[in-house]
Amino acid sequence: MSGLPATVPHRLTGRRVEVTEPLDLGGRGPGTAEAVGFLRECQSLGLSVSWRATGSPRYDLGALRHLPPPDELPSKADELAAWRSAYSYGSLYHRRGPGFVTVLDRRDLGTALRLTLDHPALCGVFLRLLEPTPLDALDATGREAAALLAAERLVLVSAGWAVTLPPRIRRWPVPCTAI
């Protein structure tokens, strides 16, 4: 145990979260998975987030454009501008049913993709990876499921860690058809 806090240092004021330390998007360990999971949960609760990014991502940042963009993204001004222009609340989310998960993905302009995960392994891994998880903690079937979900851009896999990307929307805007 390193003695570091298990959560991202942040301050919550009303419906706004201010993250006090930069979040590592570099993809070199559990920090990136935890940062993405934290941002996903903030979005799930309908919170606005002010945060700064650090690190140089080795993965497609387009997979994160459903999350609120950072205030700063060092040496990636073009990608930050693209993220800001593409961001829309509710562009990626999931809903759960008995034995299945449905995902709506509108991250790419002009497309809307609805996926239903009803295979027990895919559904189970999708839900398990809501908590950032090392791939080594999954069995062979779980790692295969994580790879399939990553290929669909529903899971971010980086440096041996994986985290589910779509939030479960718990606070819908009024009217809810705004999403």
Side-chain angles (χ1 to χ4, degrees):
M1 190 79 175
S2 66
L4 295 175
T7 60
V8 177
H10 64 279
R11 180 176 302 125
L12 177 63
T13 308
R15 306 255 359 119
R16 181 170 173 73
V17 176
E18 182 181 335
V19 181
T20 56
E21 297 293 324
L23 299 179
D24 182 13
L25 294 186
R28 290 182 288 278
T32 298
E34 290 170 358
V36 169
F38 174 79
L39 293 170
R40 182 200 63 228
E41 288 306 305
C42 286
Q43 183 162 39
S44 176
L45 296 168
L47 301 172
S48 67
V49 183
S50 174
W51 65 286
R52 294 173 291 131
T54 187
S56 182
R58 297 177 184 166
Y59 53 87
D60 176 21
L61 272 176
L64 303 182
R65 288 194 183 146
H66 65 288
L67 298 172
D71 297 332
E72 296 175 19
L73 186 63
S75 70
K76 303 255 186 224
D78 292 343
E79 289 187 40
L80 179 57
W83 191 340
R84 286 181 177 155
S85 68
Y87 173 72
S88 175
Y89 181 79
S91 62
L92 176 70
Y93 65 88
H94 80 271
R95 298 183 79 169
R96 298 180 200 170
F100 69 93
V101 173
T102 300
V103 177
L104 178 65
D105 186 353
R106 295 178 303 157
R107 287 175 288 183
D108 295 326
L109 188 62
T111 63
L113 185 66
R114 187 177 307 271
L115 300 169
T116 300
L117 307 175
D118 58 1
H119 188 279
L122 287 174
C123 202
V125 168
F126 180 91
L127 295 174
R128 179 171 181 186
L129 296 179
L130 287 169
E131 290 295 322
T133 305
L135 289 174
D136 293 342
L138 303 175
D139 61 13
T141 302
R143 287 190 297 275
E144 183 180 353
L148 288 170
L149 293 168
E152 292 293 335
R153 295 177 30 180
L154 301 179
V155 165
L156 177 66
V157 175
S158 183
W161 282 77
V163 64
T164 297
L165 292 173
R168 182 179 185 189
I169 304 287
R170 291 181 177 93
R171 287 189 62 95
W172 289 86
V174 175
C176 66
T177 56
I179 291 184

